[in-house]
Amino acid sequence: MSYRALAKKYGVSEYMARTVIKSDSEITQKIAHKKSENERDVLSYMDAKRDVVCEIIGKGLDVLNDEKKLASASPNQITTALGTLIDKWLLLNVPGTAGAGGQSPLADEIEAAYKKRTEGGAGDEC
């Protein structure tokens, strides 16, 4: 539930809800634990669906690289897609992030597929 929803539910300002929650170490710890648990669940699910995820990523990259689609896309659409792609790539490859330095098997596989593609191989697998 968001701070805004909690504030509305209890008839206080959003600032007050945020302040109370952040000042309570037990609540803060529970929120951090829940976020971590949710992240693990999502990563576990995606890992179980690795083949499908890789297929979707491959199709998405193909669409982003389609000359006709690029020609008809607005500059805003292109920069948004590029920004998202760059942000996610950095998240996987920059030290201090979850996938940096080969810590993420999925990141390693994406990089291997990318290298294979750029070196002339088919690279359709993830």
Side-chain angles (χ1 to χ4, degrees):
M1 185 176 281
S2 69
Y3 291 118
R4 181 174 292 168
L6 282 169
K8 187 175 181 178
K9 180 177 179 178
Y10 292 102
V12 298
S13 71
E14 185 177 337
Y15 173 79
M16 177 61 80
R18 185 182 312 268
T19 302
V20 169
I21 290 168
K22 288 186 175 185
S23 68
D24 187 322
S25 62
E26 185 178 340
I27 292 174
T28 304
Q29 188 177 20
K30 285 180 181 180
I31 291 170
H33 177 73
K34 183 64 177 170
K35 283 182 180 181
S36 176
E37 190 177 273
N38 289 346
E39 184 178 305
R40 281 192 310 272
D41 290 347
V42 168
L43 290 174
S44 176
Y45 176 79
M46 287 183 69
D47 194 46
K49 299 288 186 180
R50 180 182 306 261
D51 293 340
V52 175
V53 170
C54 290
E55 184 178 338
I56 291 168
I57 291 170
K59 287 178 181 179
L61 290 173
D62 289 343
V63 168
L64 288 174
N65 198 33
D66 181 274
E67 294 294 330
K68 290 180 185 175
K69 291 199 184 293
L70 283 171
S72 66
S74 71
N76 187 38
Q77 290 171 318
I78 294 170
T79 57
T80 299
L82 286 173
T84 302
L85 186 62
I86 291 166
D87 286 348
K88 299 307 176 191
W89 186 260
L90 289 174
L91 183 64
L92 293 174
N93 291 293
V94 172
T97 61
Q103 294 175 28
S104 166
L106 181 58
D108 293 342
E109 289 184 35
I110 291 170
E111 185 174 1
Y114 172 78
K115 285 181 181 177
K116 188 172 182 179
R117 258 188 195 203
T118 58
E119 293 170 0
D124 288 337
E125 67 281 358
C126 194

